[in-house]
Amino acid sequence: MSTGTGTFKGGVHPYDGKDLSKDLPTLTVMPKGDLVFPMAQQHLGAPSRPVVAVGDKVLMGQRIGEASGFISAHICSSVSGTVKAIEPRLTPSSAMVESIVIENDGQYTPAPGVGEKRDYTKMSKEEIRAAVKDAGVVGMGGAGFPTHVKITPKDDNAIDFIIANCAECEPYLTSDYRMMLEEPDRLIGGLNVIVSLFPNAKGVIAVEDNKPDAIKLLQEKVKDEPKIEVQVLQTKYPQGSERQLIYACTGRKINSSMLPADAGCIVDNCDTVIAIYRAVCESTPLMRRVVTVTGDAVNKPRNVIVKTGTLYSELLEYVDGFKCQPEKVISGGPMMGQAQTSLDVPVTKISSALLCMEKDPVSQYESTHCIRCGRCVAACPSRLVPQKLYECSTRGDIDTFAKLNGMECFECGACTYVCPAKLRLTQAFKQSRRAVQDARRKAQAAAQAAKAEAEAKAKADVKKEGGEKA
C-alpha cells in the first residue's frame, strides 16, 4: 500500500474552469486539411529524423520519423496519404521546426500489423518495451519524455510504485477526466502492463477528490486487482507535478537532481498509460490526442479526440467557433501553457488543450513593487523563496540564483498567481534557469576541451620523449 498523505505543502486553488467541458462525452473528429508532423517539439531529447521523402505514399501508423538518439522518439503518421513537403513549420512552442507535411487521402489505410491484438502476458519485458518504443509513446502530460526510456530503469527490482497520474490539476483541462470515465479498462490494462515489468511494484491510480464519479468507477474496476489501488488526492494545484505527486502518494521526496526511479517510482500520465495499452495490446502507435477545446471565448467547449498533425484551427469547428474574438489563446492550461500567435499550428503528442480567453488577465494588470507579503513563499510547492530569486533574476545574478536553489523551480506559476504586485515571477525564473543551464553547458564544454587538449599534449610529450630516446 502507498503511504502518502494525499497532498503536499504549498500550492494554490485557482478557478478551475472544468465545468465548461467536463460533462460532455468526447467527440472523435477527422482532419480535413493537410497534416503537419514536427520532427522536434513533440518529445524531449534529440529530434526525430525523417525516413520518408516528398512524393512517398504513407499508411496510417507508418513510421515517418526515426528516433535519432537515446532520448528521442519515433513519429508515426496518423493518416494515409502522400508526403507533400518536408519543410520548417510553426509549432505550438512558437518555434519553426522541420516538419513532414502529409496530404490526407481520406482512406485511413493502416500499415501492416496496426490494430492486431496481443496478449502482454505472453510477451517478454524486452518485447513490451520494444512495442512502446516502436509506437513512439511519450509523456502526454506535457513533458514529452520518451516512455520506453522511463520504463527501462537501471534496476527493475528497485521500483516499488507505478503511479498513473490522473490528478489533472491544471485549470480548464478535462481530457484525462473523460478518459477515466470512457476508457477505464484501457487505463487499468495499461497500468497492469507496466506493473508486469517490475516484480516488486504496485500500481497506483492517483485522482484528485474533485472527480468523485471517476474515483468511484475506478475503485469498482480495481477491487479485484491485487496490484492496483486508487489513491484519492486533495484537490490543489500543482498536485499533478511529478515531485508533488510522488510525495502525496508515497511520502517519498525527490529533487531536480533525481529521477523518480531514484525514489522507487515511475510516473506516467493517464493518457500515456492508455497509449501504452494501445501500443502493447492493440499494436497501435501514438497517433491521437484528446484535446480540451475550452474557454469563455468558445461557443461550446468540449473534449475532442483528434489525430496528431491536425491544425488547431480545424478544432474550432467542433465547438461552433468563437463567441467573440479572444484576447488570448493558449496551448495547454492557463498556469503552464504556451500563448499562441497563430492557430495554424499542429496538434502534437504533447498537446492537451486549446484555451481561448475573452480577456487576457495578464494584460489587465501593471506590475508594482514587491511588498514582501510572503504569499509566494507559502504557495511555492518546492519550498523556495521566490522574492529572493526574483531579485537575483532582475539583476542577472545567476550564480546566486543557483545557490538559492532556483533550479528546483519547475515553473508551475503558483507564485505568480498569488502575487499581489503582479510581478512576472515565473517568466523571470524561466529566463534565469535557461541562463544557468547555458552557463553550465558552456563550462562543461570548456572543461572537456581543456581535458582533450591536455591529453593531446601528454601524448605529444610521450611521443617526443620516445623519439629523443631513440
Side-chain angles (χ1 to χ4, degrees):
M1 297 289 289
S2 59
T3 57
T5 61
T7 191
F8 60 94
K9 293 181 180 180
V12 293
H13 294 86
Y15 165 66
D16 69 11
K18 294 181 185 291
D19 285 344
L20 293 174
S21 60
K22 74 180 183 68
D23 294 325
L24 287 174
T26 55
L27 176 68
T28 300
V29 303
M30 305 305 281
K32 295 184 176 179
D34 295 340
L35 290 97
V36 180
F37 301 88
M39 295 292 101
Q41 308 291 323
Q42 298 216 54
H43 55 261
L44 288 181
S48 301
R49 179 178 59 253
V51 292
V52 292
V54 174
D56 285 356
K57 301 290 185 181
V58 298
L59 299 173
M60 185 179 68
Q62 177 181 329
R63 188 179 305 166
I64 57 175
E66 188 94 41
S68 63
F70 177 66
I71 305 296
S72 188
H74 302 319
I75 295 172
C76 299
S77 176
S78 60
V79 298
S80 55
T82 305
V83 178
K84 190 174 181 179
I86 300 178
E87 61 189 19
R89 288 292 188 97
L90 188 67
T91 66
S93 67
S94 298
M96 294 295 288
V97 171
E98 182 184 40
S99 304
I100 297 172
V101 182
I102 295 179
E103 183 179 11
N104 182 12
D105 64 12
Q107 300 301 307
Y108 305 102
T109 306
V114 170
E116 290 182 359
K117 302 295 183 182
R118 290 189 289 206
D119 183 352
Y120 78 91
T121 64
K122 297 179 180 178
M123 299 170 66
S124 67
K125 291 184 180 183
E126 292 73 20
E127 289 171 331
I128 289 173
R129 287 167 170 144
V132 173
K133 180 178 181 179
D134 289 344
V137 180
V138 303
M140 295 161 72
F145 192 87
T147 303
H148 68 278
V149 179
K150 181 179 286 190
I151 62 173
T152 314
K154 294 179 181 178
D155 181 6
D156 289 351
N157 294 308
I159 302 301
D160 302 315
F161 296 102
I162 310 298
I163 303 173
N165 184 355
C166 300
E168 198 168 41
C169 63
E170 180 83 24
Y172 289 92
L173 274 61
T174 57
S175 56
D176 286 347
Y177 169 73
R178 291 310 314 175
M179 288 297 96
M180 284 183 260
L181 294 181
E182 296 178 26
E183 298 195 10
D185 293 333
R186 282 193 173 106
L187 172 60
I188 295 165
L191 190 53
N192 269 320
V193 170
I194 309 171
V195 168
S196 73
L197 299 173
F198 306 100
N200 303 319
K202 289 271 190 178
V204 178
I205 302 176
V207 191
E208 284 191 323
D209 58 14
N210 62 349
K211 307 172 182 67
D213 48 351
I215 291 169
K216 182 179 179 181
L217 174 63
L218 292 169
Q219 285 177 333
E220 178 64 25
K221 291 276 187 180
V222 304
K223 66 180 181 180
D224 296 321
E225 295 281 353
K227 287 195 168 187
I228 295 180
E229 65 178 78
V230 176
Q231 170 79 50
V232 180
L233 308 174
Q234 292 184 28
T235 298
K236 180 166 57 172
Y237 177 85
Q239 186 71 269
S241 169
E242 204 166 54
R243 298 179 209 168
Q244 281 62 47
L245 188 70
I246 288 173
Y247 179 77
C249 289
T250 71
R252 301 178 182 184
K253 298 180 181 180
I254 64 170
N255 56 42
S256 63
S257 66
M258 300 170 64
L259 294 172
D262 295 330
C265 299
I266 288 176
V267 181
D268 278 311
N269 164 264
C270 171
D271 210 20
T272 307
V273 177
I274 292 173
I276 289 172
Y277 180 85
R278 290 177 179 275
V280 176
C281 301
E282 298 177 347
S283 306
T284 301
L286 176 51
M287 50 187 181
R288 73 98 172 96
R289 274 288 338 204
V290 187
V291 180
T292 306
V293 187
T294 188
D296 56 8
V298 168
N299 273 311
K300 295 181 179 180
R302 72 180 307 159
N303 288 282
V304 294
I305 298 176
V306 59
K307 290 185 175 294
T308 54
T310 304
L311 296 185
Y312 277 4
S313 55
E314 288 190 29
L315 304 185
L316 293 172
E317 176 183 340
Y318 303 102
V319 294
D320 289 354
F322 293 134
K323 65 171 65 172
C324 62
Q325 189 61 35
E327 280 191 5
K328 193 163 196 174
V329 177
I330 299 173
S331 176
M335 302 298 285
M336 297 187 74
Q338 178 87 36
Q340 301 296 291
T341 58
S342 171
L343 290 175
D344 291 326
V345 296
V347 172
T348 69
K349 296 179 184 181
I350 58 175
S351 298
S352 59
L354 184 62
L355 175 59
C356 308
M357 309 295 290
E358 183 177 348
K359 299 293 182 182
D360 180 359
V362 176
S363 66
Q364 296 178 40
Y365 303 103
E366 290 292 332
S367 296
T368 60
H369 294 294
C370 173
I371 60 173
R372 286 170 166 72
C373 64
R375 293 181 188 177
C376 59
V377 178
C380 180
S382 294
R383 316 311 296 154
L384 304 175
V385 184
Q387 168 208 334
K388 292 294 184 183
L389 295 176
Y390 186 70
E391 292 173 1
C392 296
S393 296
T394 53
R395 63 174 184 262
D397 185 358
I398 62 172
D399 290 335
T400 304
F401 178 88
K403 288 177 182 178
L404 292 174
N405 294 320
M407 300 307 285
E408 293 298 314
C409 169
F410 56 93
E411 302 166 17
C412 70
C415 56
T416 303
Y417 176 77
V418 299
C419 179
K422 304 303 177 186
L423 297 174
R424 309 294 192 258
L425 299 170
T426 308
Q427 184 177 9
F429 302 159
K430 183 177 293 189
Q431 293 171 346
S432 293
R433 279 164 46 83
R434 287 178 180 172
V436 171
Q437 289 168 346
D438 289 343
R440 287 177 176 176
R441 278 193 289 267
K442 289 178 181 178
Q444 185 178 19
Q448 289 174 343
K451 181 180 178 181
E453 183 178 355
E455 289 175 349
K457 184 177 184 301
K459 288 180 181 179
D461 291 343
V462 169
K463 185 177 180 179
K464 181 180 178 181
E465 183 180 346
E468 290 175 349
K469 288 181 178 180

